[in-house]
Amino acid sequence: MAFGKKRGASLGIPSPEALSRLADGKQIEILEKNPLLLHCRSCGALWSVERLSDGTLPADWWQCPDKCNHRCGIDI
C-alpha cells in the first residue's frame, strides 16, 4: 500500500534480510536490528521503532521523524 494507508495497519517482517531490502529506497539505514534503530540518510535523524505486541512493525516504521522520506511510501 502507498503512504497514507489506514492507521494501525502493520507490516510483518520475516527476516533481517527482508528488513534491509525494505529500508533500501527509503533513504534510511538500519543501525541495529534488535531493537530496531534507524538513521535518516537525508537529515541525520536517529530513531528507534518498537514492534507491536504481535511482533510486527507499525505501518510507518520507516518514516523519518522529520518526514524527510514521507513520500517514499511503503511499496517497493
Side-chain angles (χ1 to χ4, degrees), residues 34-48:
N34 194 15
L36 187 58
L37 180 62
L38 304 169
H39 170 252
C40 179
R41 292 180 182 146
S42 182
C43 73
L46 295 173
W47 71 101
S48 63

Side-chain angles (χ1 to χ4, degrees), residues 2-17:
F3 172 75
K5 73 182 194 179
K6 247 187 210 178
R7 251 178 115 76
S10 63
L11 173 70
I13 303 299
S15 69
E17 293 79 20

Side-chain angles (χ1 to χ4, degrees), residues 20-74:
S20 293
R21 282 193 305 272
L22 287 168
D24 289 342
K26 304 292 183 214
Q27 299 176 337
I28 60 173
E29 177 181 8
I30 299 171
L31 300 178
E32 294 287 331
K33 292 185 176 152
N34 194 15
L36 187 58
L37 180 62
L38 304 169
H39 170 252
C40 179
R41 292 180 182 146
S42 182
C43 73
L46 295 173
W47 71 101
S48 63
V49 178
E50 291 191 30
R51 292 184 183 269
L52 302 174
S53 61
D54 64 358
T56 60
L57 293 168
D60 61 353
W61 67 269
W62 53 271
Q63 196 169 67
C64 174
D66 293 330
K67 306 292 186 204
C68 295
N69 62 356
H70 77 280
R71 292 179 188 226
C72 290
I74 195 62

